[in-house]
Amino acid sequence: MSLVLRRIALALAVVAFSISCSGSTAALPRPSPSAIPSPSASPTEQLGPGGLTLDEEIGAVMMVGFQGPLTDAVMSDWRQRQFGGLLVVNLNHNASSPDAMRSFVSTIRSTSRHRLVAATDQEGGFVCIDISSVPCAPMPVGQADTTRMATALRSLGFDLDLGPVSDVCSGPQSVMWGRCYGSGAAAVAGAVGPVVDGIHAAGMLSAAKHFPGHGDTSVSSETQLPRIDEGHDTLLSREWPPFEAAIAHQTDFVLIGHLFYPWIDPHRSADLSPNTYDLLRADLKFHGAILSDDMEMGAITASTSTPEAAVEFLVAGGDMVMVAHHLDTADATYDAIKAAVTSGRLPRSRLDDAVTMLEALRDA
């Protein structure tokens, strides 16, 4: 056989073998580029609950306050960071009249691409917002007085009243004396429920504070970390009934105090310990959002920077970080949270869970 004929025969044999293996003479289709699976998106590229980007989620889990009136720089920062909470407290001197406060809140809200929760402390008695249109009844306040105060707040644009105080004071020596509803668990629990109801009746959100209980200490967490040497039995019988009452009345938030309970965690303050969140979720059956106290308070900053504490709070199980007074500190906290997600220290799924919890809050 000639060389040409041998080459033709070999080619025919290859074709026949290919047909016998495929069972068909049709060419195998090539996958289109869109059909080829792409690598999984990184945590920084994924969209979270509600279609939020990572940057928007980080802003969403922060409640921020700042000193002084609105400026162009503040507005620019707020548009960029998209903070999910606005905190107004008297010390910040943001506005001094009803009209000015109404404009202040609505202007900041206009920059937000997602829900903004505007909050203030309105406990009655010693702690009230300094706006003439908001009444400040003495402690304790029942449902009717609470609704009257909360309605006035609502008219200014607020949708979260940081109350009720659910701490049981150990007596006049307690740092919370004058802000608590009494020195007995049953009395405090009986007062807390109507306050939650009164806040809700005004169409506002409530935040029971300061879990696990700030009443049995003379030390202020504004300046240093209080140590409270109570065990499980005392917490169960004395500190927690008011929080259980608030939860039974469907409080929207529980605010965690900067408190050191060695029984809960011998190494970390309660707000930075996963053990606290396990107790609140599993033992007290709280299914709402968990808010930190101000991360600029001395109880935190004496040992831990605000940005680092904020990351630890979120890793432990918190949902919203409060930075009450300085926008540059809030910006540094934002950057720290983003770095923690990028590095994997704060799982994106944990951030997603926090945002989901905040999005589930009732409409206020």
Side-chain angles (χ1 to χ4, degrees), residues 58-348:
I58 294 168
V61 300
M62 295 184 64
M63 175 174 286
V64 174
F66 57 89
Q67 295 182 339
L70 277 176
T71 64
D72 290 343
V74 169
M75 292 292 288
S76 176
D77 191 278
W78 210 277
R79 288 191 187 94
Q80 177 187 352
R81 307 285 182 171
Q82 290 292 297
F83 298 122
L86 167 66
L87 178 68
V88 177
V89 292
N90 293 335
L91 186 61
N92 286 347
H93 303 291
N94 299 131
S96 58
S97 70
D99 287 344
M101 184 62 73
R102 195 174 293 110
S103 175
F104 176 82
V105 174
S106 65
T107 301
I108 291 182
R109 181 169 273 127
S110 71
T111 69
S112 297
R113 296 190 293 272
H114 53 75
R115 182 178 185 178
L116 175 72
V117 175
T120 191
D121 288 306
Q122 184 69 23
E123 300 171 7
F126 294 162
V127 180
C128 297
I129 190 171
D130 189 15
I131 298 292
S132 60
S133 64
V134 182
C136 187
M139 297 280 286
V141 294
Q143 181 172 346
D145 283 342
T146 303
T147 299
R148 187 163 54 93
M149 290 194 301
T151 299
L153 290 177
R154 182 71 171 151
S155 72
L156 299 176
F158 291 103
D159 38 25
L160 170 59
D161 185 352
L162 295 173
V165 172
S166 302
D167 304 311
V168 179
C169 284
S170 54
Q173 73 278 9
S174 170
V175 70
M176 298 303 296
W177 192 253
R179 295 177 61 191
C180 60
Y181 289 101
S183 56
V188 176
V192 159
V195 172
V196 173
D197 291 343
I199 292 171
H200 288 165
M204 293 191 67
L205 305 170
S206 64
K209 60 186 184 185
H210 308 75
F211 190 81
H214 202 324
D216 193 19
T217 178
S218 60
V219 175
S220 172
S221 53
E222 292 283 354
T223 57
Q224 58 184 302
L225 182 65
R227 175 179 176 131
I228 303 175
D229 289 301
E230 292 180 352
H232 179 258
D233 290 346
T234 302
L235 286 167
L236 193 64
S237 63
R238 173 186 167 83
E239 304 296 339
W240 290 349
F243 290 98
E244 291 172 323
I247 292 167
H249 286 256
Q250 300 183 328
T251 188
D252 307 281
F253 288 89
V254 167
L255 185 149
I256 308 295
H258 305 311
L259 304 162
F260 179 43
Y261 277 83
W263 178 82
I264 294 176
D265 193 317
H267 306 293
R268 290 169 289 195
S269 60
D271 51 329
L272 306 184
S273 174
N275 298 343
T276 305
Y277 302 94
D278 291 342
L279 290 167
L280 185 54
R281 297 295 192 195
D283 289 21
L284 275 73
K285 310 299 182 186
F286 179 60
H287 303 299
I290 299 176
L291 175 66
S292 82
D293 210 342
D294 175 24
M295 287 295 186
E296 293 188 280
M297 291 165 67
I300 288 292
T301 59
S303 62
T304 309
S305 70
T306 294
E308 169 61 21
V311 171
E312 292 183 26
F313 167 82
L314 291 168
V315 170
D319 298 313
M320 193 171 224
V321 174
M322 183 190 296
V323 181
H325 302 295
H326 298 97
L327 200 55
D328 57 346
T329 303
D331 289 345
T333 301
Y334 178 103
D335 293 341
I337 295 170
K338 185 169 184 177
V341 177
T342 302
S343 70
R345 181 187 175 196
L346 174 60
R348 178 66 185 272

